[in-house]
Amino acid sequence: MEDRNQIWGPYLATKQQERSTAEFYYTVKNNRVSPYLELQADDLYGNRYGKGFSKLDVNPYIRFFSVFDSLLTPDDLGYEEFNQALSDILLHYLADLDLKLGMCKQDFYLGFLVKDIEEGAFGSLGRLSKFTGAEKYEVAKWLLSFYQTGDSAYCLSGAVKKLLPSCEMVIREGEEFVFYMREPRNIHTEERLFFFIQLFLPFSSPYVVHWTETYGVIGYDGTMQLGSFVLA
């Protein structure tokens, strides 16, 4: 997002911070400094954006001259408040359009899945609060992969490795899912793990969760570290 001429940069940053884009306000007043366009700033927006920003000064002449030329005249016609509100609406629309033009079909699928997850289509709304916005999209990626491949074990393992790095999953005797949590038991991690189990595993699948202690499982070399396991 270092390209200062991409209007979607601050817009996307707002969404990634899980803030409503309705709270974000584009203003153009401070950029209308000269009637001579060649003297305008060469950045679409001048002030940096961060976690606490709510306004962004935009120079719409950089990319959107044809849209704003007739709206932002150098004369004071008494419509300043209306022009600012209309400019904010237009720039929100243009930022959203910019963002969507860079999306592929999979991005749209992920957006729909995240919306379904947040609306409780897969249950466990309480456990969903343990995930950030970016993590929900990661969950949606593995859920989409599950729909495409039908391989619940692979997708569960991938989601766990990505979002629960302290967990190691193995399948014992081809049917029982065993989760080795290399950390003390805590509600936050437990809720996240059970969300994955509910999302990917069939109801009939047996599973067990071990906390802190590491078990050595014959046939899985990664678990057979001498002096650091109990044989299972």
Side-chain angles (χ1 to χ4, degrees), residues 175-178 201-208:
E175 60 178 40
E176 183 181 39
F177 289 80
V178 184
L201 285 189
F203 290 124
S204 59
S205 296
Y207 67 88
V208 63

Side-chain angles (χ1 to χ4, degrees), residues 54-92:
S54 59
K55 291 186 178 182
L56 191 70
D57 295 331
V58 179
N59 177 7
Y61 294 113
I62 295 295
R63 285 187 55 203
F64 309 111
F65 178 84
S66 61
V67 176
F68 288 92
D69 182 46
S70 58
L71 178 64
L72 302 176
T73 65
D75 303 315
D76 185 1
L77 302 178
Y79 302 112
E80 182 66 27
E81 185 176 352
F82 172 78
N83 283 351
Q84 286 295 333
L86 183 58
S87 298
D88 177 51
I89 293 171
L90 287 173
L91 286 164
H92 270 280

Side-chain angles (χ1 to χ4, degrees), residues 14-80:
T14 304
K15 294 174 74 69
Q16 289 177 332
Q17 293 164 13
E18 298 187 63
R19 298 174 54 204
S20 170
T21 54
E23 301 174 6
F24 181 56
Y25 184 73
Y26 291 102
T27 178
V28 299
K29 181 177 180 180
N30 294 333
N31 275 301
R32 196 147 51 87
V33 295
S34 170
Y36 302 102
L37 294 182
E38 63 270 19
L39 298 181
Q40 295 286 340
D42 57 3
D43 287 341
L44 182 65
Y45 52 92
N47 58 315
R48 295 301 296 165
Y49 54 93
K51 188 172 183 178
F53 75 92
S54 59
K55 291 186 178 182
L56 191 70
D57 295 331
V58 179
N59 177 7
Y61 294 113
I62 295 295
R63 285 187 55 203
F64 309 111
F65 178 84
S66 61
V67 176
F68 288 92
D69 182 46
S70 58
L71 178 64
L72 302 176
T73 65
D75 303 315
D76 185 1
L77 302 178
Y79 302 112
E80 182 66 27

